[in-house]
Amino acid sequence: MAVTIEDIAREAGVSIATVSRVINKTKPVSPELRARVYQVIERNHFKPNTLAQGLVTKKTNMIGIIVPDISNAVFGKLTKGINSICSKKGYTMMVCESQGELKNELRLLDIMEDKQIEGLLFAGVDVNHTLVKAMLEKSYPVVLVTQEASEDEGAVSTVVHDNVTAMYDAVKFLLDNGHQRIAYLGGPKNDFSSGKKRLKGYRRALEEVGIEVRDSYIVQGEFSFSSGFEGMKTLYEENSKLPTAVVAGSDVIAVGAIQYLDSMRMKIPDDISIMGFDDSDFATYFKPELSTVRISYFDEGEKAARMLLRLISGEQNEPAVDYVPHKIIRRSTTKSLN
Amino acid sequence: MAVTIEDIAREAGVSIATVSRVINKTKPVSPELRARVYQVIERNHFKPNTLAQGLVTKKTNMIGIIVPDISNAVFGKLTKGINSICSKKGYTMMVCESQGELKNELRLLDIMEDKQIEGLLFAGVDVNHTLVKAMLEKSYPVVLVTQEASEDEGAVSTVVHDNVTAMYDAVKFLLDNGHQRIAYLGGPKNDFSSGKKRLKGYRRALEEVGIEVRDSYIVQGEFSFSSGFEGMKTLYEENSKLPTAVVAGSDVIAVGAIQYLDSMRMKIPDDISIMGFDDSDFATYFKPELSTVRISYFDEGEKAARMLLRLISGEQNEPAVDYVPHKIIRRSTTKSLN
DNA sequence: TTGTAAGCGTTATCAG
DNA sequence: CTGATAACGCTTACAA
């Protein structure tokens, strides 16, 4: 069906070796032959079969990406960042969705191996020992992105933002603005980096200034609007003494909380301050605009992709950890009490 | 390095053909041998090299996806829908970003061919003759999704929502609610399905009831917040007689428009009604909640993937066009004048 | 039911 | 500089 290197060789009156050489510029070929071969290639729209190439060279120019949820904006940005640098280097991405379930993640790790990817970018929810072990056994290098490993720390390369410090800074910001009663409305308990770590940052900031962290001020749920709404409801109903500010585990959660407060006729930020996390696109779509901590997932994707490429090329050999900066964005859902 | 079929054969004391047979269940193998082979496979974690397999069988179990913007929520949903059915059937997705530029689209079409994908899902911006021609020349079947071809209609399979009717229905909804002066705040002029077609629906609805469509009520831009903001500004400043309602080409545009009106102290929906398009996640995140026309991009992705699989399996041979339904969602940014 | 061997489309080694 | 030819890892007639 498709035209092969052999067809070209025959038509150009040379050996397939020569054709291969002009394609890959791997060894000198006389100008005349080269020209002749190029002609025939053009005329026939010849494109080498990458499967055959990969079979012998072990280079497939494909990298894999595993994310929990393809349609989630965070992973969309991340993937875009990854793509921006990979496509530039001639790599194509195979992207898969794990739903954040270990079973799927393990299966995809295998599938990726079958497909002979050259490297993998992995965004997980809880990268535990089982997962790390499986990754280490694979034939390709992997870099964790967005989530560091929860066990076997440092065993596999990682590019993340510092969740502990990011949330610490958010709380600190509120503290500096005179807030004392600050609640935490976070994501899943079992989410290592975006759940546990952020909560840790919250705790640390409070403890550092000697404020007691009360359990009734901590609500964990999902990274969703409805979870933010319900969580805020819980906070509202279970605390006779309401917090003056709440830090949310994500912008969507923050917005859900705002809507609940709105339904209770609470004014933001006058009655209560709300701080988001991520700086999603929609953070400035409505009034009051959301104060939040900005994470550039696009940059994170780029950085991770660069590291993976270094690992693939052998330019880098040891696992490394790289951090992407975050930034507190003060907008209109937070108010100073000073 | 990796263990091959030959290693397995040797260790199990059978021929590689036998191993191949037990792997693919392609021909009967005696129970004893089968068991023995399975054992060895398990013990060595053997996984056949899919490149080698693909080279001979022409089946790579990979499909391609080309979208203008990976991080755009619409395409995120679409991709998720595609993935949901493809992964179920054992297909893996290669996803690429075209930025909506013809040059890139053409290049990616080629790359996909190199990679030996079995089929392609294509989301474009203007699928013109050049593009259609290129697609038809490829070795794989393609189905257009989200965008029908702007030329050579019907030449390549398509799964879309009916943009003309969807926008027609939106305007009709407003008309039925007593609005007479309705403006259009749309996407790019050069976007065939989401731009031109929607505008066409707008015109048709108005003309049908004998309302003159005035140019000053039509503003086209980008599918972005700022474009919605600026577009609304233009509408506001260039019309002494303001519209009582505006239909937007997307929810983001609508939200940008709302923010401009808000800055002008206009009340929504009392002073002016706004209708979005897409029914994005954030449509209900803030008050007033956005009235819009719902398109289920996830379903669209699923439907398109199913069609592609049918094309691949040969179950379907002729190009077909399939429509996904839309639905008017009345929420709080539109008001009845009746 | 099992094995042998001829591809699949390239690259790469080794002579020439 | 150029050409045979042996891999690469697997499937699939064709024989046995």
Side-chain angles (χ1 to χ4, degrees):
Chain A
M1 45 188 295
V3 28
T4 77
I5 198 176
E6 206 177 328
D7 302 324
I8 303 299
R10 193 177 324 111
E11 192 169 332
V14 299
S15 72
I16 62 173
T18 298
V19 177
S20 175
R21 281 168 196 140
V22 348
I23 294 172
N24 305 297
K25 309 183 200 312
T26 174
K27 288 215 169 184
V29 171
S30 71
E32 310 119 274
L33 283 197
R34 192 179 335 137
R36 185 136 48 99
V37 170
Y38 267 132
Q39 291 246 329
V40 183
I41 286 181
E42 286 305 313
R43 187 171 343 127
N44 294 281
H45 298 320
F46 169 67
K47 332 214 68 208
N49 181 323
T50 58
L51 292 192
Q53 289 183 146
L55 189 55
V56 18
T57 61
K58 256 62 187 156
K59 261 204 84 48
T60 56
N61 289 304
M62 296 205 309
I63 63 132
I65 301 182
I66 297 179
V67 296
D69 178 3
I70 292 181
S71 72
N72 184 124
V74 164
F75 300 115
K77 293 265 205 287
L78 201 69
T79 306
K80 194 181 174 80
I82 292 167
N83 180 70
S84 110
I85 112 104
C86 282
S87 67
K88 214 173 290 171
K89 300 291 185 176
Y91 280 85
T92 306
M93 312 179 302
M94 290 189 24
V95 357
C96 296
E97 182 172 70
S98 66
Q99 260 102 238
E101 284 171 32
L102 182 61
K103 199 188 55 185
N104 293 334
E105 296 174 321
L106 256 12
R107 187 173 44 81
L108 289 172
L109 244 32
D110 276 350
I111 291 184
M112 292 295 188
E113 191 165 38
D114 299 353
K115 300 288 185 189
Q116 317 284 321
I117 58 166
E118 292 184 36
L120 175 72
L121 263 350
F122 188 95
V125 169
D126 181 8
V127 186
N128 59 22
H129 177 66
T130 310
L131 228 27
V132 170
K133 185 155 168 292
M135 288 171 179
L136 261 18
E137 282 170 353
K138 296 297 171 237
S139 50
Y140 49 76
V142 5
V143 2
L144 303 178
V145 57
T146 274
Q147 283 265 342
E148 53 256 85
S150 63
E151 296 177 343
D152 303 301
E153 201 181 338
V156 16
S157 292
T158 308
V159 173
V160 285
H161 46 279
D162 183 341
N163 281 292
V164 176
T165 309
M167 187 54 88
Y168 170 93
D169 287 346
V171 175
K172 197 81 177 51
F173 168 77
L174 259 8
L175 251 14
D176 289 345
N177 278 278
H179 292 272
Q180 295 272 118
R181 298 201 307 281
I182 303 172
Y184 174 86
L185 198 49
K189 287 196 217 321
N190 67 330
D191 183 312
F192 184 69
S193 295
S194 313
K196 289 198 178 75
K197 289 257 180 180
R198 290 180 195 171
L199 178 54
K200 188 172 177 182
Y202 164 79
R203 288 205 144 95
R204 179 174 300 175
L206 256 30
E207 282 160 2
E208 201 176 279
V209 295
I211 293 182
E212 174 210 12
V213 343
R214 15 179 161 176
D215 286 349
S216 66
Y217 270 14
I218 296 177
V219 175
Q220 296 176 81
E222 302 287 312
F223 286 121
S224 71
F225 179 86
S226 59
S227 179
F229 189 95
E230 292 303 326
M232 191 64 234
K233 183 166 189 232
T234 304
L235 238 28
Y236 188 89
E237 293 174 347
E238 318 243 306
N239 287 286
S240 51
K241 194 102 177 153
L242 285 182
T244 61
V246 3
V247 287
S250 78
D251 288 346
V252 217
I253 289 179
V255 155
I258 289 174
Q259 194 153 112
Y260 174 75
L261 291 170
D262 191 60
S263 74
M264 289 291 108
R265 310 210 179 296
M266 299 273 288
K267 289 300 175 213
I268 291 161
D270 294 329
D271 297 333
I272 192 165
S273 286
I274 306 278
M275 187 89 192
F277 197 103
D278 283 345
D279 195 23
S280 317
D281 288 340
F282 63 79
T284 57
Y285 284 180
F286 299 84
K287 302 288 186 187
E289 296 186 351
L290 194 63
S291 292
T292 189
V293 6
R294 173 181 298 165
I295 307 291
S296 176
Y297 292 103
F298 182 88
D299 292 351
E300 204 163 315
E302 285 202 324
K303 205 158 201 164
R306 277 200 211 93
M307 187 181 286
L308 183 61
L309 260 26
R310 260 180 276 133
L311 253 12
I312 291 175
S313 71
E315 191 181 332
Q316 179 183 324
N317 290 299
E318 294 307 306
V321 179
D322 209 344
Y323 289 92
V324 145
H326 59 267
K327 189 179 176 198
I328 299 294
I329 306 290
R330 160 182 237 141
R331 283 199 278 247
S332 316
T333 55
T334 46
K335 173 188 175 186
S336 173
L337 262 32
N338 296 328
Chain B
M1 47 190 294
V3 28
T4 77
I5 198 176
E6 206 177 328
D7 301 324
I8 303 298
R10 190 176 329 110
E11 191 168 332
V14 300
S15 72
I16 63 173
T18 299
V19 177
S20 174
R21 281 166 195 140
V22 348
I23 293 172
N24 305 298
K25 309 181 199 313
T26 174
K27 287 214 168 184
V29 172
S30 71
E32 312 119 270
L33 284 198
R34 190 177 336 136
R36 188 136 47 99
V37 171
Y38 268 133
Q39 290 245 329
V40 183
I41 286 181
E42 286 303 317
R43 186 167 349 124
N44 295 281
H45 300 319
F46 169 68
K47 332 214 68 205
N49 180 324
T50 57
L51 293 191
Q53 288 183 146
L55 189 55
V56 17
T57 60
K58 257 61 187 154
K59 261 203 85 50
T60 56
N61 289 303
M62 297 206 307
I63 63 132
I65 301 182
I66 297 178
V67 296
D69 178 3
I70 292 182
S71 72
N72 184 125
V74 164
F75 300 116
K77 294 264 206 289
L78 200 69
T79 307
K80 195 181 173 81
I82 292 166
N83 179 70
S84 110
I85 112 102
C86 283
S87 66
K88 214 174 291 171
K89 300 289 185 177
Y91 280 87
T92 306
M93 313 180 300
M94 290 188 24
V95 357
C96 296
E97 181 173 72
S98 66
Q99 259 103 234
E101 283 172 32
L102 181 61
K103 197 188 56 183
N104 293 334
E105 295 174 322
L106 256 14
R107 187 174 45 81
L108 289 172
L109 245 31
D110 276 350
I111 291 184
M112 292 295 190
E113 190 165 39
D114 298 352
K115 300 289 184 189
Q116 319 284 321
I117 58 166
E118 291 185 36
L120 175 71
L121 263 349
F122 188 96
V125 168
D126 182 8
V127 186
N128 59 22
H129 177 66
T130 310
L131 228 29
V132 170
K133 186 158 167 290
M135 287 171 179
L136 261 19
E137 282 170 354
K138 294 296 170 245
S139 50
Y140 49 77
V142 4
V143 3
L144 302 179
V145 57
T146 275
Q147 282 264 343
E148 54 256 83
S150 62
E151 298 176 343
D152 305 301
E153 200 180 340
V156 16
S157 293
T158 308
V159 173
V160 285
H161 47 278
D162 183 342
N163 281 292
V164 176
T165 310
M167 189 54 89
Y168 170 94
D169 288 345
V171 175
K172 197 82 176 52
F173 167 77
L174 258 10
L175 251 14
D176 290 344
N177 279 278
H179 291 274
Q180 295 273 116
R181 299 199 308 280
I182 303 173
Y184 174 85
L185 197 48
K189 289 195 218 318
N190 67 331
D191 183 313
F192 184 69
S193 296
S194 313
K196 290 198 177 76
K197 289 258 179 179
R198 288 179 197 172
L199 178 54
K200 188 172 178 182
Y202 164 79
R203 288 205 143 94
R204 179 174 299 173
L206 255 31
E207 282 159 359
E208 202 176 277
V209 295
I211 293 181
E212 174 208 12
V213 344
R214 16 180 160 175
D215 285 348
S216 67
Y217 270 14
I218 296 179
V219 175
Q220 297 177 79
E222 302 288 312
F223 286 121
S224 72
F225 179 86
S226 59
S227 180
F229 189 94
E230 292 303 326
M232 192 63 234
K233 184 170 189 227
T234 305
L235 238 29
Y236 187 88
E237 294 174 346
E238 317 242 306
N239 288 285
S240 52
K241 194 102 177 153
L242 284 182
T244 62
V246 2
V247 287
S250 79
D251 288 345
V252 217
I253 289 179
V255 156
I258 290 174
Q259 192 152 112
Y260 174 76
L261 291 170
D262 191 58
S263 74
M264 289 291 109
R265 310 209 178 297
M266 299 273 289
K267 289 300 174 214
I268 291 161
D270 293 329
D271 297 333
I272 192 164
S273 286
I274 306 279
M275 188 90 191
F277 198 102
D278 284 343
D279 195 23
S280 317
D281 288 339
F282 64 78
T284 57
Y285 283 1
F286 299 83
K287 303 288 186 187
E289 295 187 352
L290 194 63
S291 292
T292 190
V293 7
R294 172 180 299 165
I295 307 291
S296 176
Y297 292 103
F298 182 89
D299 291 352
E300 205 163 313
E302 285 202 324
K303 206 160 200 162
R306 278 200 211 91
M307 187 182 284
L308 183 62
L309 261 26
R310 260 181 276 132
L311 252 13
I312 291 175
S313 71
E315 193 182 331
Q316 179 184 324
N317 292 299
E318 295 307 307
V321 179
D322 209 344
Y323 289 92
V324 145
H326 58 267
K327 188 176 175 202
I328 299 294
I329 306 290
R330 158 181 241 142
R331 286 199 276 247
S332 316
T333 54
T334 46
K335 172 189 177 185
S336 175
L337 262 32
N338 297 328

PDB file of all heavy atoms in Angstrom, chain B residues 5 20 24 48-49 53, chain D residues 9-14:
ATOM      1  N   ILE B   5       9.852 -12.321  22.638  1.00  0.00           N
ATOM      2  CA  ILE B   5       9.085 -13.541  22.430  1.00  0.00           C
ATOM      3  C   ILE B   5      10.022 -14.739  22.294  1.00  0.00           C
ATOM      4  O   ILE B   5       9.681 -15.861  22.650  1.00  0.00           O
ATOM      5  CB  ILE B   5       8.204 -13.383  21.163  1.00  0.00           C
ATOM      6  CG1 ILE B   5       7.091 -14.432  21.170  1.00  0.00           C
ATOM      7  CG2 ILE B   5       9.040 -13.467  19.906  1.00  0.00           C
ATOM      8  CD1 ILE B   5       6.142 -14.278  20.011  1.00  0.00           C
ATOM      9  N   SER B  20       3.409 -16.884  20.211  1.00  0.00           N
ATOM     10  CA  SER B  20       2.563 -15.892  19.560  1.00  0.00           C
ATOM     11  C   SER B  20       1.111 -16.340  19.611  1.00  0.00           C
ATOM     12  O   SER B  20       0.204 -15.555  19.870  1.00  0.00           O
ATOM     13  CB  SER B  20       3.006 -15.715  18.115  1.00  0.00           C
ATOM     14  OG  SER B  20       2.123 -14.862  17.424  1.00  0.00           O
ATOM     15  N   ASN B  24      -1.996 -14.300  21.358  1.00  0.00           N
ATOM     16  CA  ASN B  24      -3.106 -13.751  20.588  1.00  0.00           C
ATOM     17  C   ASN B  24      -4.322 -14.658  20.493  1.00  0.00           C
ATOM     18  O   ASN B  24      -5.300 -14.301  19.863  1.00  0.00           O
ATOM     19  CB  ASN B  24      -2.615 -13.426  19.182  1.00  0.00           C
ATOM     20  CG  ASN B  24      -1.415 -12.507  19.198  1.00  0.00           C
ATOM     21  OD1 ASN B  24      -1.499 -11.381  19.664  1.00  0.00           O
ATOM     22  ND2 ASN B  24      -0.280 -13.002  18.720  1.00  0.00           N
ATOM     23  N   PRO B  48       4.553  -8.153  24.723  1.00  0.00           N
ATOM     24  CA  PRO B  48       4.962  -8.060  23.314  1.00  0.00           C
ATOM     25  C   PRO B  48       5.241  -6.620  22.908  1.00  0.00           C
ATOM     26  O   PRO B  48       4.600  -5.689  23.386  1.00  0.00           O
ATOM     27  CB  PRO B  48       3.774  -8.644  22.552  1.00  0.00           C
ATOM     28  CG  PRO B  48       2.662  -8.753  23.522  1.00  0.00           C
ATOM     29  CD  PRO B  48       3.261  -8.789  24.878  1.00  0.00           C
ATOM     30  N   ASN B  49       6.186  -6.451  22.072  1.00  0.00           N
ATOM     31  CA  ASN B  49       6.549  -5.130  21.552  1.00  0.00           C
ATOM     32  C   ASN B  49       5.513  -4.716  20.521  1.00  0.00           C
ATOM     33  O   ASN B  49       5.414  -5.286  19.446  1.00  0.00           O
ATOM     34  CB  ASN B  49       7.936  -5.218  20.919  1.00  0.00           C
ATOM     35  CG  ASN B  49       8.388  -3.891  20.358  1.00  0.00           C
ATOM     36  OD1 ASN B  49       7.587  -3.133  19.832  1.00  0.00           O
ATOM     37  ND2 ASN B  49       9.670  -3.618  20.475  1.00  0.00           N
ATOM     38  N   GLN B  53       4.612  -5.647  16.533  1.00  0.00           N
ATOM     39  CA  GLN B  53       3.289  -6.158  16.182  1.00  0.00           C
ATOM     40  C   GLN B  53       2.651  -5.291  15.106  1.00  0.00           C
ATOM     41  O   GLN B  53       2.113  -5.788  14.117  1.00  0.00           O
ATOM     42  CB  GLN B  53       2.382  -6.159  17.417  1.00  0.00           C
ATOM     43  CG  GLN B  53       2.737  -7.214  18.438  1.00  0.00           C
ATOM     44  CD  GLN B  53       1.763  -7.221  19.619  1.00  0.00           C
ATOM     45  OE1 GLN B  53       1.469  -8.258  20.182  1.00  0.00           O
ATOM     46  NE2 GLN B  53       1.278  -6.055  19.995  1.00  0.00           N
TER      47      GLN B  53
ATOM     48  P    DG D   9      14.758  -6.901  19.928  1.00  0.00           P
ATOM     49  OP1  DG D   9      14.860  -6.171  21.203  1.00  0.00           O
ATOM     50  OP2  DG D   9      15.604  -8.072  19.654  1.00  0.00           O
ATOM     51  O5'  DG D   9      13.245  -7.336  19.717  1.00  0.00           O
ATOM     52  C5'  DG D   9      12.240  -6.343  19.798  1.00  0.00           C
ATOM     53  C4'  DG D   9      10.939  -6.926  19.319  1.00  0.00           C
ATOM     54  O4'  DG D   9      11.029  -7.145  17.889  1.00  0.00           O
ATOM     55  C3'  DG D   9      10.582  -8.278  19.929  1.00  0.00           C
ATOM     56  O3'  DG D   9       9.244  -8.208  20.371  1.00  0.00           O
ATOM     57  C2'  DG D   9      10.780  -9.265  18.800  1.00  0.00           C
ATOM     58  C1'  DG D   9      10.482  -8.412  17.584  1.00  0.00           C
ATOM     59  N9   DG D   9      11.097  -8.836  16.342  1.00  0.00           N
ATOM     60  C8   DG D   9      12.298  -9.489  16.188  1.00  0.00           C
ATOM     61  N7   DG D   9      12.585  -9.742  14.931  1.00  0.00           N
ATOM     62  C5   DG D   9      11.511  -9.209  14.218  1.00  0.00           C
ATOM     63  C6   DG D   9      11.268  -9.185  12.819  1.00  0.00           C
ATOM     64  O6   DG D   9      11.971  -9.626  11.909  1.00  0.00           O
ATOM     65  N1   DG D   9      10.062  -8.560  12.512  1.00  0.00           N
ATOM     66  C2   DG D   9       9.206  -8.024  13.443  1.00  0.00           C
ATOM     67  N2   DG D   9       8.097  -7.459  12.977  1.00  0.00           N
ATOM     68  N3   DG D   9       9.423  -8.048  14.765  1.00  0.00           N
ATOM     69  C4   DG D   9      10.588  -8.650  15.072  1.00  0.00           C
ATOM     70  P    DC D  10       8.449  -9.463  20.907  1.00  0.00           P
ATOM     71  OP1  DC D  10       7.567  -9.017  21.992  1.00  0.00           O
ATOM     72  OP2  DC D  10       9.382 -10.577  21.111  1.00  0.00           O
ATOM     73  O5'  DC D  10       7.517  -9.778  19.663  1.00  0.00           O
ATOM     74  C5'  DC D  10       6.598  -8.763  19.270  1.00  0.00           C
ATOM     75  C4'  DC D  10       5.985  -9.080  17.938  1.00  0.00           C
ATOM     76  O4'  DC D  10       7.038  -9.286  16.976  1.00  0.00           O
ATOM     77  C3'  DC D  10       5.126 -10.339  17.913  1.00  0.00           C
ATOM     78  O3'  DC D  10       3.772  -9.978  17.656  1.00  0.00           O
ATOM     79  C2'  DC D  10       5.655 -11.156  16.741  1.00  0.00           C
ATOM     80  C1'  DC D  10       6.561 -10.190  15.997  1.00  0.00           C
ATOM     81  N1   DC D  10       7.729 -10.880  15.413  1.00  0.00           N
ATOM     82  C2   DC D  10       7.798 -10.993  14.028  1.00  0.00           C
ATOM     83  O2   DC D  10       6.887 -10.526  13.336  1.00  0.00           O
ATOM     84  N3   DC D  10       8.858 -11.637  13.478  1.00  0.00           N
ATOM     85  C4   DC D  10       9.814 -12.133  14.265  1.00  0.00           C
ATOM     86  N4   DC D  10      10.853 -12.755  13.668  1.00  0.00           N
ATOM     87  C5   DC D  10       9.771 -12.019  15.678  1.00  0.00           C
ATOM     88  C6   DC D  10       8.713 -11.388  16.215  1.00  0.00           C
ATOM     89  P    DT D  11       2.627 -11.103  17.729  1.00  0.00           P
ATOM     90  OP1  DT D  11       1.421 -10.471  18.288  1.00  0.00           O
ATOM     91  OP2  DT D  11       3.185 -12.341  18.323  1.00  0.00           O
ATOM     92  O5'  DT D  11       2.377 -11.358  16.177  1.00  0.00           O
ATOM     93  C5'  DT D  11       1.896 -10.287  15.384  1.00  0.00           C
ATOM     94  C4'  DT D  11       1.718 -10.759  13.962  1.00  0.00           C
ATOM     95  O4'  DT D  11       2.971 -11.268  13.434  1.00  0.00           O
ATOM     96  C3'  DT D  11       0.695 -11.870  13.756  1.00  0.00           C
ATOM     97  O3'  DT D  11       0.035 -11.577  12.542  1.00  0.00           O
ATOM     98  C2'  DT D  11       1.559 -13.118  13.638  1.00  0.00           C
ATOM     99  C1'  DT D  11       2.765 -12.563  12.896  1.00  0.00           C
ATOM    100  N1   DT D  11       4.061 -13.265  13.051  1.00  0.00           N
ATOM    101  C2   DT D  11       4.776 -13.548  11.908  1.00  0.00           C
ATOM    102  O2   DT D  11       4.382 -13.297  10.790  1.00  0.00           O
ATOM    103  N3   DT D  11       5.997 -14.144  12.133  1.00  0.00           N
ATOM    104  C4   DT D  11       6.553 -14.472  13.354  1.00  0.00           C
ATOM    105  O4   DT D  11       7.661 -14.979  13.417  1.00  0.00           O
ATOM    106  C5   DT D  11       5.742 -14.158  14.505  1.00  0.00           C
ATOM    107  C7   DT D  11       6.252 -14.487  15.874  1.00  0.00           C
ATOM    108  C6   DT D  11       4.543 -13.583  14.309  1.00  0.00           C
ATOM    109  P    DT D  12      -1.335 -12.274  12.158  1.00  0.00           P
ATOM    110  OP1  DT D  12      -2.251 -11.236  11.679  1.00  0.00           O
ATOM    111  OP2  DT D  12      -1.723 -13.169  13.261  1.00  0.00           O
ATOM    112  O5'  DT D  12      -0.911 -13.174  10.914  1.00  0.00           O
ATOM    113  C5'  DT D  12       0.058 -12.684   9.997  1.00  0.00           C
ATOM    114  C4'  DT D  12       0.412 -13.805   9.051  1.00  0.00           C
ATOM    115  O4'  DT D  12       1.634 -14.444   9.469  1.00  0.00           O
ATOM    116  C3'  DT D  12      -0.622 -14.923   8.969  1.00  0.00           C
ATOM    117  O3'  DT D  12      -0.597 -15.427   7.640  1.00  0.00           O
ATOM    118  C2'  DT D  12      -0.085 -15.963   9.920  1.00  0.00           C
ATOM    119  C1'  DT D  12       1.409 -15.828   9.636  1.00  0.00           C
ATOM    120  N1   DT D  12       2.326 -16.286  10.700  1.00  0.00           N
ATOM    121  C2   DT D  12       3.606 -16.662  10.328  1.00  0.00           C
ATOM    122  O2   DT D  12       4.000 -16.648   9.172  1.00  0.00           O
ATOM    123  N3   DT D  12       4.405 -17.048  11.376  1.00  0.00           N
ATOM    124  C4   DT D  12       4.055 -17.106  12.709  1.00  0.00           C
ATOM    125  O4   DT D  12       4.872 -17.469  13.541  1.00  0.00           O
ATOM    126  C5   DT D  12       2.703 -16.709  13.015  1.00  0.00           C
ATOM    127  C7   DT D  12       2.227 -16.740  14.435  1.00  0.00           C
ATOM    128  C6   DT D  12       1.906 -16.320  12.007  1.00  0.00           C
ATOM    129  P    DA D  13      -1.939 -15.799   6.894  1.00  0.00           P
ATOM    130  OP1  DA D  13      -1.711 -15.275   5.523  1.00  0.00           O
ATOM    131  OP2  DA D  13      -3.109 -15.410   7.656  1.00  0.00           O
ATOM    132  O5'  DA D  13      -1.886 -17.364   6.855  1.00  0.00           O
ATOM    133  C5'  DA D  13      -1.923 -18.064   5.679  1.00  0.00           C
ATOM    134  C4'  DA D  13      -0.663 -17.957   4.855  1.00  0.00           C
ATOM    135  O4'  DA D  13       0.503 -17.707   5.700  1.00  0.00           O
ATOM    136  C3'  DA D  13      -0.371 -19.253   4.112  1.00  0.00           C
ATOM    137  O3'  DA D  13       0.169 -19.014   2.832  1.00  0.00           O
ATOM    138  C2'  DA D  13       0.573 -19.985   5.024  1.00  0.00           C
ATOM    139  C1'  DA D  13       1.313 -18.861   5.752  1.00  0.00           C
ATOM    140  N9   DA D  13       1.501 -19.170   7.163  1.00  0.00           N
ATOM    141  C8   DA D  13       0.594 -18.992   8.179  1.00  0.00           C
ATOM    142  N7   DA D  13       1.049 -19.339   9.369  1.00  0.00           N
ATOM    143  C5   DA D  13       2.343 -19.770   9.105  1.00  0.00           C
ATOM    144  C6   DA D  13       3.350 -20.266   9.949  1.00  0.00           C
ATOM    145  N6   DA D  13       3.208 -20.400  11.264  1.00  0.00           N
ATOM    146  N1   DA D  13       4.503 -20.618   9.381  1.00  0.00           N
ATOM    147  C2   DA D  13       4.655 -20.484   8.060  1.00  0.00           C
ATOM    148  N3   DA D  13       3.786 -20.018   7.164  1.00  0.00           N
ATOM    149  C4   DA D  13       2.636 -19.678   7.764  1.00  0.00           C
ATOM    150  P    DC D  14       0.081 -20.113   1.709  1.00  0.00           P
ATOM    151  OP1  DC D  14       0.598 -19.550   0.435  1.00  0.00           O
ATOM    152  OP2  DC D  14      -1.266 -20.703   1.784  1.00  0.00           O
ATOM    153  O5'  DC D  14       1.133 -21.184   2.262  1.00  0.00           O
ATOM    154  C5'  DC D  14       2.502 -20.805   2.392  1.00  0.00           C
ATOM    155  C4'  DC D  14       3.296 -21.992   2.899  1.00  0.00           C
ATOM    156  O4'  DC D  14       3.296 -22.004   4.349  1.00  0.00           O
ATOM    157  C3'  DC D  14       2.726 -23.359   2.465  1.00  0.00           C
ATOM    158  O3'  DC D  14       3.809 -24.167   2.032  1.00  0.00           O
ATOM    159  C2'  DC D  14       2.089 -23.905   3.732  1.00  0.00           C
ATOM    160  C1'  DC D  14       2.998 -23.312   4.800  1.00  0.00           C
ATOM    161  N1   DC D  14       2.383 -23.187   6.142  1.00  0.00           N
ATOM    162  C2   DC D  14       3.186 -23.415   7.270  1.00  0.00           C
ATOM    163  O2   DC D  14       4.372 -23.717   7.113  1.00  0.00           O
ATOM    164  N3   DC D  14       2.634 -23.292   8.506  1.00  0.00           N
ATOM    165  C4   DC D  14       1.352 -22.954   8.637  1.00  0.00           C
ATOM    166  N4   DC D  14       0.874 -22.834   9.867  1.00  0.00           N
ATOM    167  C5   DC D  14       0.520 -22.720   7.500  1.00  0.00           C
ATOM    168  C6   DC D  14       1.071 -22.842   6.282  1.00  0.00           C
TER     169       DC D  14
END
